[in-house]
Amino acid sequence: MNIVKGQKQQLVTIKGTKDGLTLHLDDQCSFRELVGELTDKLALNHSHGEDSPLLAVRLKVGNRYLTKIQEEELRTIIRSKKHLIVDSIESNVISKKEAKEIKQKNEIVSVTKIVRSGQVLKVDGDLLLIGDVNPGGTVIAEGNIFVLGSLRGIAHAGFHGNNEAVIAASLMKPSQLRISNIMNRAPDNHKEDEQNEMECAYVDENETIVIDRLQQLMHLRPNLTRLEGGI
């Protein structure tokens, strides 16, 4: 992009949409320069009367990381115009803490142990348990639960509201299954005579927990694995 000599580069670009306003904020200048131009432009372009309708404002800050204090300063400037409200602040950058939380939620946590009666094993992300869950034991995961052993206790997958989560076990004999907020103590279609085949539990279109052969997962949840290209 060619900038004419003497012409000042715009740090704030305001675009109207059918839903309100979108403000594109430059991510290369200093924050103080940005605040100054934002204040000036809002004063010039948006001095509406008291009866003006409310407009939702989306801020796009690109590759700029905003602290909570900086976010609140931007919100205060926009709120000072009585007819403007901040709908969202969108940034391409996240903090190390946020990145760590995302990593934890998407990783597979491997544990080798027996979860005995009265014990609770809870993880972020997916749980791969190499061992048994005894009657009275509980395993909880934000994602999926895979038990390479017998599941005779309680298993709760997708505990933050993920209905797509699944539970699988070498021997599926749970006292209670929960996926998201859906609970089932004794699934109706669980066949007692199937002893030697791994099974999985999932939520069907009727929001009911169903137990089926493990092989069904590749059809029901084709995006379950994170490996590209398959084997």
Side-chain angles (χ1 to χ4, degrees):
M1 179 178 66
N2 294 324
I3 299 175
V4 179
K5 187 175 181 180
Q7 178 182 345
K8 183 180 178 182
Q9 183 179 356
Q10 292 190 43
L11 305 181
V12 178
T13 304
I14 302 176
K15 293 184 178 181
T17 68
K18 63 179 182 179
D19 299 317
L21 297 176
T22 299
L23 274 59
H24 295 268
L25 308 185
D26 186 272
D27 56 12
Q28 300 298 313
C29 65
S30 72
F31 182 72
R32 299 274 37 109
E33 288 177 302
L34 191 65
V35 166
E37 183 160 324
L38 176 62
T39 303
D40 292 342
K41 281 203 168 182
L42 289 179
L44 289 172
N45 299 321
H46 295 280
S47 27
H48 292 242
E50 292 292 332
D51 297 330
S52 299
L54 285 175
L55 289 176
V57 177
R58 296 174 61 194
L59 293 177
K60 293 181 176 263
V61 300
N63 295 324
R64 180 188 297 274
Y65 176 75
L66 295 175
T67 66
K68 295 299 181 183
I69 293 175
Q70 290 173 331
E71 280 192 17
E72 187 54 36
E73 185 171 354
L74 293 177
R75 290 179 186 274
T76 299
I77 293 170
I78 292 170
R79 283 198 299 260
S80 68
K81 301 300 175 183
K82 303 298 184 183
H83 66 293
L84 299 182
I85 56 172
V86 178
D87 179 62
S88 64
I89 298 177
E90 301 173 14
S91 172
N92 298 332
V93 183
I94 61 175
S95 67
K96 289 183 178 180
K97 180 181 178 182
E98 291 168 328
K100 184 178 179 181
E101 289 174 351
I102 291 173
K103 179 177 181 294
Q104 289 175 339
K105 290 178 181 178
N106 288 280
E107 70 179 356
I108 297 177
V109 180
S110 300
V111 179
T112 302
K113 68 175 294 184
I114 296 174
V115 181
R116 305 184 187 280
S117 179
Q119 294 181 333
V120 177
L121 174 60
K122 182 177 180 179
V123 302
D124 296 320
D126 296 345
L127 170 63
L128 172 60
L129 176 65
I130 304 171
D132 300 329
V133 182
N134 287 351
T138 302
V139 287
I140 304 173
E142 186 170 347
N144 307 296
I145 294 175
F146 306 103
V147 180
L148 296 184
S150 62
L151 173 54
R152 299 180 182 275
I154 298 171
H156 185 182
F159 71 85
H160 275 169
N162 180 11
N163 281 19
E164 294 294 304
V166 300
I167 300 169
S170 301
L171 180 63
M172 185 78 80
K173 299 290 184 182
S175 60
Q176 182 188 110
L177 291 179
R178 292 188 67 179
I179 297 177
S180 184
N181 61 348
I182 301 168
M183 182 175 67
N184 200 335
R185 292 182 179 276
D188 295 334
N189 64 341
H190 186 203
K191 299 177 182 179
E192 293 294 334
D193 57 342
E194 293 183 359
Q195 298 288 334
N196 300 317
E197 191 171 39
M198 288 192 71
E199 293 176 306
C200 64
Y202 60 91
V203 175
D204 68 5
E205 63 276 6
N206 299 316
E207 295 196 344
T208 301
I209 294 179
V210 175
I211 289 183
D212 209 332
R213 297 166 60 245
L214 184 65
Q215 288 79 359
Q216 292 299 313
L217 276 187
M218 69 177 69
H219 307 293
L220 296 165
R221 302 288 188 269
N223 298 321
L224 182 65
T225 61
R226 300 186 176 90
L227 296 177
E228 296 291 338
I231 297 175

